[in-house]
């Protein structure tokens, strides 16, 4: 088969097409070489992504973390070769975790050749923490567009706080590309509804309308009126009938930038696998390599050398440099001059921006955090949390958040003067109202964190199940997000097992990199916040009680600051030589303390270990862990109103676990505690059984 030579482009249209076909062929070659991937969507959407990046988007590849850059989110992350092609062709520079430029490309041509291979900077899906130029990890469909709503909220909030007349410090836009899979996932509906309610006119979603999913044509499952749906939400809906028409695409994006008061949704009619003689418009082009013969035929249709692989023709790099490179550099240079002048006129605000961008905290961020006196009646975890949140939100200007319609129950509403509600007409409010949209809430919190705000979301602990996919992504991206979960056990007893978490603690503890904390009293709640607010690259969840817990006398028992070690000796036997160790978290800590006092009255030496966080404890030294749980003391009892799964690692083969082996029941809390054995006498009895005492 002969080789077609590329004719040197003479016109702007020809160089545009050359660049578009370079994106297509790099994508085709990478998938073919990897024998894995999704070639069809990059083949279809290359003109769109080329237009967004090289003609429209304000982004400097030399500084991919410039604060006022436009954001690009590839929500249909299986089309990752679109992004890797763009990052390579624009010569995106790499930045490390300390936000320092490394002076090297983010994605090299060798990375593209090694698509989906170990250590390549061109992995199977976009990975935020792994590749500079990726704004958010995508792959689970719908997550990207939902996260983009958080980015849009963040821009509005930042602009409201920091922009001043003549100083438009934050005025960027967010572009998200999605497919029918994203729109079928429920999270996109939640996010789109809220985006319209908030009038996020800085947000543009482009829908790749190719009518194909893995199983075939979308008519087998997806026949809704998508345009009507988004019109009903309140979006500005546009349509481009040909994904190859870069002029119409650019016009639609221009309409977006001129639209006020509502987000924009562009329906882009495309052909998956465009240019493939036998696989265009078929499911076969979606998730598998085209095959060597079909690759040659595709390249022939593009006027490309059929046997050339990973070819970047002369002039392509230069064209991107003259497009996004020059435009982005000019915009960043102008912004740098603007922020320098801003520092002179508004030094305190400029300092805030600097700290926020580095994920650092302002001086005195923890001043006035409450200390709770000993109190047998105690304070509910959610009430202690409310006091802490209202202090932190005043001390840290960029700390904000809200609940999925449960603010009064979660006690997460910020009530101090000036807190305000974030709405379309009040974008400076610190109270975010997510509505009953837990899944989108968690993704939006991710988007806020990606924009360097310190954000929290909240709901009942049982509904962490609805938020879990986005929580997992926050851990994968190493984002310092915070989810505040209340009603963490059987405290809302009458609501019954549908509202009583059992397996949620174990499942969240299983997520790598996620800090899960279940505080045992009000002062542990304070210390939990003190710990998580200082995290820069880890998400955290707090599991807090609805009911009051006794506030322990810290003059008698150990300081709550031990929480920073994950587990600590709260109460000990005389001389520090226990016969039995009682381990508990959350509402069961005071129960273990009561059992400890009962055992002591009988001459049995026990130690109480408060263990609010397995994750933090596992990161302590072996010496510390052994000092808390001496290997020589094998008589151990763990007490927790949750699944017993996993506690074996701490009690060993000789220990016992008092926990939940079933779901709960509908009854007042005291009756439930009696039924399931969460009483001091039961804990003491189990401890004595282990010791062979009666």
């Amino acid at each position: 088969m002969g080789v077609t030579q590329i004719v040197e482009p003479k016109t702007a249209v020809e160089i545009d097409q050359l660049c578009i076909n370079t994106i297509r062929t790099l994508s085709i070659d990478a998938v073919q070489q990897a024998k894995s991937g999704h070639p069809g969507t990059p083949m279809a959407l290359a003109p769109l992504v080329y237009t967004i990046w090289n003609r429209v988007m304000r982004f400097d590849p030399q500084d991919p973390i410039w604060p006022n850059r436009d954001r690009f989110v590839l929500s249909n992350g299986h089309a990752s070769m679109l992004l890797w092609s763009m990052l390579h062709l624009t010569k995106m520079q790499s930045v490390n975790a300390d936000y320092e430029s490394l002076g090297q490309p983010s994605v090299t041509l060798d990375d593209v050749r090694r698509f989906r291979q170990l250590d390549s900077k061109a992995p199977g899906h976009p990975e935020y923490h792994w590749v500079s130029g990726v704004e958010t990890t995508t792959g689970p469909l719908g997550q990207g567009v939902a996260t983009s709503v958080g980015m849009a909220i963040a821009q509005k909030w930042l602009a409201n706080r920091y922009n001043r007349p003549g100083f438009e410090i934050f005025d960027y836009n967010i572009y998200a590309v999605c497919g029918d899979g994203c729109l079928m996932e429920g999270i996109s509906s939640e996010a789109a509804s809220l985006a319209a309610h908030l009038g996020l006119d800085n947000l543009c979603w482009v829908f790749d309308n190719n009518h194909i999913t893995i199983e075939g044509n979308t008519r087998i499952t997806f026949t809704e009126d998508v345009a009507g749906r988004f019109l009903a939400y309140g979006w500005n809906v546009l349509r481009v009938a040909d994904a190859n028409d870069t002029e119409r695409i650019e016009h639609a994006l221009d309409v977006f930038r001129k639209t006020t008061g509502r987000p924009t949704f562009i329906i882009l009619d495309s052909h998956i696998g465009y240019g493939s003689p036998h696989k265009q418009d078929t499911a076969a082009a979606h998730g598998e390599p085209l095959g060597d013969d079909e690759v040659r035929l595709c390249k022939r249709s593009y006027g490309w050398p059929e046997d050339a692989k990973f070819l970047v023709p002369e002039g392509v790099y230069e064209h991107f440099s003259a497009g996004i490179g020059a435009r982005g550099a000019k915009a960043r240079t102008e912004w740098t001059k603007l922020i320098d002048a801003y520092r002179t006129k508004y030094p305190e605000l400029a300092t805030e921006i600097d700290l926020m961008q580095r994920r650092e905290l302002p001086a005195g961020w923890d001043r006035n955090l409450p200390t709770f006196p000993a109190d047998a009646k105690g304070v509910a975890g959610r009430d202690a949390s409310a006091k802490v949140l209202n202090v932190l939100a005043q001390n840290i200007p960029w700390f904000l958040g809200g609940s999925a319609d449960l603010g009064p129950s979660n006690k997460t509403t910020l009530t101090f003067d000036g807190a305000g509600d974030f709405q379309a007409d009040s974008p400076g409010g610190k109270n975010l109202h997510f509505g009953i949209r837990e899944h989108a809430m968690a993704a939006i919190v991710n988007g806020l964190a990606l924009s360097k705000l310190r954000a929290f979301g909240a709901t009942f602990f049982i509904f962490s199940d609805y938020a879990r996919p986005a929580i997992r992504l926050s851990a994968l991206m190493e984002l310092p997000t915070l989810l505040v979960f209340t009603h963490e056990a059987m405290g809302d007893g009458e609501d019954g097992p549908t509202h009583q978490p059992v397996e949620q603690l174990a499942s969240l503890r299983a997520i790598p990199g996620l800090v899960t904390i279940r505080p045992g009293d009000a002062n542990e709640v304070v210390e939990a916040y003190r710990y998580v607010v200082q995290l820069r690259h880890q998400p955290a969840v707090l599991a807090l009680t609805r009911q009051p817990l006794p506030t322990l006398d810290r003059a008698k028992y150990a300081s709550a600051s031990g929480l920073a070690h994950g587990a600590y000796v709260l109460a000990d036997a005389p001389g520090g030589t226990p016969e039995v160790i009682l381990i508990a978290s959350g509402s069961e800590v005071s129960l273990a303390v009561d059992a400890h006092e009962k055992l002591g009255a009988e001459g049995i030496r026990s130690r109480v270990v408060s263990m609010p966080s397995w994750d933090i404890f596992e990161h302590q030294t072996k010496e510390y862990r052994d000092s808390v749980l001496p290997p020589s003391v094998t008589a151990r009892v763990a007490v927790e109103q949750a699944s017993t799964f996993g506690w074996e690692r701490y009690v060993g083969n000789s220990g016992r676990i008092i926990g939940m082996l079933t779901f709960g029941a509908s009854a007042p809390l005291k009756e439930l505690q009696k039924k399931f054995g969460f009483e001091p006498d039961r804990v003491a009895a189990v401890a004595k059984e282990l010791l062979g005492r009666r």
Side-chain angles (χ1 to χ4, degrees):
M1 191 174 290
V3 175
T4 303
Q5 296 297 322
I6 295 178
V7 177
E8 183 178 346
K10 303 295 185 184
T11 68
V13 171
E14 289 173 346
I15 186 63
D16 286 345
Q17 194 61 50
L18 185 68
C19 292
I20 290 167
N21 287 339
T22 302
I23 297 168
R24 285 170 167 153
T25 55
L26 284 177
S27 301
I28 291 170
D29 288 340
V31 172
Q32 190 64 29
Q33 182 143 308
K35 297 181 174 59
S36 173
H38 301 74
T41 301
M43 295 161 71
L45 294 188
L48 167 70
V49 175
Y50 168 79
T51 303
I52 293 175
W53 281 70
N54 212 41
R55 292 188 184 180
V56 175
M57 199 163 68
R58 184 174 50 185
F59 190 105
D60 184 3
Q62 297 300 307
D63 187 359
I65 59 171
W66 165 44
N68 200 39
R69 68 192 182 278
D70 286 345
R71 270 61 166 180
F72 176 82
V73 175
L74 186 66
S75 190
N76 44 349
H78 54 269
S80 60
M81 269 311 307
L82 274 172
L83 196 49
W84 309 144
S85 297
M86 293 309 306
L87 298 190
H88 173 66
L89 295 173
T90 59
K91 298 187 177 180
M92 189 73 61
Q93 293 300 293
S94 188
V95 177
N96 66 16
D98 292 321
Y99 315 113
E100 300 167 333
S101 178
L102 300 179
Q104 61 190 41
S106 172
V107 177
T108 66
L109 193 58
D110 187 56
D111 287 319
V112 173
R113 290 190 183 99
R114 298 181 56 252
F115 175 55
R116 291 187 163 224
Q117 306 308 301
L118 188 64
D119 295 331
S120 170
K121 291 302 177 72
H125 289 82
E127 301 285 356
Y128 166 74
H129 74 292
W130 180 241
V131 189
S132 299
V134 176
E135 299 288 3
T136 181
T137 295
T138 55
L141 294 175
Q143 286 286 338
V145 286
T147 302
S148 75
V149 174
M151 295 175 176
I153 291 172
Q155 187 277 325
K156 291 290 187 181
W157 190 90
L158 290 166
N160 180 270
R161 179 166 181 84
Y162 297 109
N163 289 2
R164 294 293 186 271
F167 292 93
E168 295 296 310
I169 303 300
F170 294 104
D171 63 349
Y172 57 86
N173 291 316
I174 297 91
Y175 300 89
V177 178
C178 61
D180 34 48
C182 293
L183 298 190
M184 283 189 255
E185 293 287 359
I187 188 173
S188 66
S189 297
E190 295 180 17
S193 174
L194 184 59
H197 167 75
L198 294 174
L200 300 178
D201 51 19
N202 55 352
L203 179 63
C204 178
W205 290 4
V206 183
F207 168 41
D208 174 26
N209 186 32
N210 62 33
H211 301 288
I212 295 295
T213 64
I214 289 175
E215 292 189 354
N217 194 285
T218 53
R219 63 174 172 266
I220 65 175
T221 58
F222 191 59
T223 53
E224 67 186 43
D225 179 359
V226 174
R229 166 181 160 188
F230 276 79
L231 285 169
Y233 288 143
W235 288 58
N236 179 36
V237 177
L238 308 172
R239 188 167 206 134
V240 175
D242 181 3
N244 290 305
D245 191 338
T246 56
E247 299 304 318
R248 292 299 300 271
I249 291 170
E250 187 172 4
H251 174 72
L253 295 171
D254 186 55
V255 172
F256 152 62
R257 293 197 304 277
K258 293 176 180 176
T259 298
T260 59
R262 52 183 175 164
T264 293
F265 184 77
I266 300 173
I267 300 172
L268 181 69
D269 294 331
S270 71
H271 297 279
I272 194 169
Y274 177 81
S276 172
H278 303 107
K279 296 188 177 182
Q280 179 175 311
D281 296 327
T282 70
H286 173 79
E288 60 188 46
L290 298 174
D292 291 335
D293 291 342
E294 194 71 10
V295 167
R296 292 190 185 92
L297 293 174
C298 284
K299 290 179 178 178
R300 181 186 298 177
S301 74
Y302 301 148
W304 208 257
E306 295 171 23
D307 294 316
K309 292 184 178 180
F310 302 102
L311 172 64
V312 180
E314 185 177 350
V316 170
Y317 291 122
E318 292 79 4
H319 188 62
F320 279 107
S321 178
I324 186 173
R327 189 177 64 254
K330 180 175 183 291
R332 180 172 63 89
T333 298
E334 291 173 352
W335 186 86
T336 301
K337 292 178 181 177
L338 187 69
I339 196 71
D340 286 344
Y342 184 84
R343 289 183 202 286
T344 301
K345 191 166 186 179
Y346 305 103
E348 292 182 0
L349 292 177
T351 297
E352 285 185 17
I353 294 171
D354 291 340
L355 290 171
M356 178 173 44
Q357 292 301 315
R358 296 194 301 267
R359 297 201 192 281
E360 296 177 0
L361 296 169
W365 67 269
D366 58 350
R367 67 183 181 275
N368 304 324
L369 285 178
T371 299
F372 294 89
D375 182 356
K377 291 185 178 179
V379 180
R382 60 176 178 169
D383 290 325
S385 168
K387 293 181 183 299
V388 178
L389 284 172
N390 274 276
V391 170
L392 291 174
Q394 293 179 78
N395 292 348
I396 305 171
W398 52 95
F399 185 92
L400 74 168
S403 173
D405 197 54
L406 290 170
S409 294
N410 298 144
K411 302 297 179 71
T412 50
T413 303
L414 303 175
T415 57
F416 60 88
D417 288 344
D421 296 326
F422 185 98
Q423 295 290 344
D425 58 356
S426 56
K430 284 200 166 191
N431 284 298
L432 302 178
H433 299 283
F434 295 103
I436 307 166
R437 304 181 179 101
E438 293 89 355
H439 196 173
M441 174 185 72
I444 289 168
V445 168
N446 287 349
L448 293 165
L450 287 161
S451 308
K452 303 300 179 66
L453 299 181
R454 294 308 300 263
F456 68 89
T459 185
F460 290 169
F461 194 29
I462 192 69
F463 302 133
S464 64
D465 285 345
Y466 287 1
R468 186 179 316 279
I471 294 172
R472 181 179 186 273
L473 283 180
S474 67
L476 192 61
M477 288 188 278
E478 302 177 359
L479 298 178
T481 57
L482 173 60
L483 276 295
V484 180
F485 296 126
T486 67
H487 300 59
E488 43 65 85
M490 292 189 289
D492 56 344
E494 292 86 351
D495 277 335
T498 61
H499 281 57
Q500 294 166 2
V502 173
E503 73 277 22
Q504 281 68 26
L505 268 171
S507 62
L508 288 172
R509 286 168 175 161
I511 297 177
L514 177 67
V515 178
T516 301
I517 306 179
R518 188 175 182 239
D521 75 348
N523 287 309
E524 281 198 3
V525 171
V526 176
E527 296 305 317
Y529 276 105
R530 193 189 305 276
Y531 183 89
V532 303
V533 168
Q534 296 180 77
L535 297 174
R536 296 177 70 206
H537 300 293
Q538 279 183 289
V541 300
L542 302 185
L544 307 175
T545 65
R546 174 202 188 206
Q547 75 278 14
L549 299 180
T551 304
L552 298 172
D553 182 354
R554 297 294 171 167
K556 180 178 180 181
Y557 303 113
S559 168
S561 62
L563 178 140
H565 298 292
Y568 63 102
V569 178
L570 177 65
D572 211 357
T577 56
E579 300 172 79
V580 62
I581 302 175
L582 311 178
I583 316 169
S585 78
S587 51
E588 288 69 65
V589 170
S590 58
L591 186 159
V593 169
D594 289 345
H596 164 77
E597 300 294 349
K598 288 179 179 292
L599 291 169
E602 298 181 35
I604 297 174
R605 302 190 311 277
S606 65
R607 168 180 289 185
V608 177
V609 171
S610 175
M611 186 176 279
S613 176
W614 292 12
D615 180 82
I616 299 173
F617 184 63
E618 290 298 327
H619 283 84
Q620 306 306 305
T621 64
K622 184 178 186 299
E623 289 74 17
Y624 177 80
R625 286 182 278 124
D626 285 349
S627 74
V628 175
L629 299 174
S632 60
V633 184
T634 59
R636 302 178 181 184
V637 183
V639 193
E640 189 172 67
Q641 281 186 29
S643 168
T644 61
F645 185 82
W647 273 109
E648 300 85 355
R649 72 168 65 181
Y650 298 119
V651 301
N653 294 330
S654 302
R656 294 275 296 277
I657 307 166
I658 300 174
M660 297 297 293
L661 300 175
T662 66
F663 292 108
S666 179
L669 176 59
K670 289 188 180 298
E671 293 183 26
L672 293 172
Q673 290 171 327
K674 182 177 181 180
K675 173 180 173 60
F676 293 107
F678 296 104
E679 295 182 308
D681 287 343
R682 170 76 191 288
V683 177
V686 171
K688 288 191 286 186
E689 287 175 16
L690 285 176
L691 296 172
R693 311 277 185 89
R694 288 185 178 273

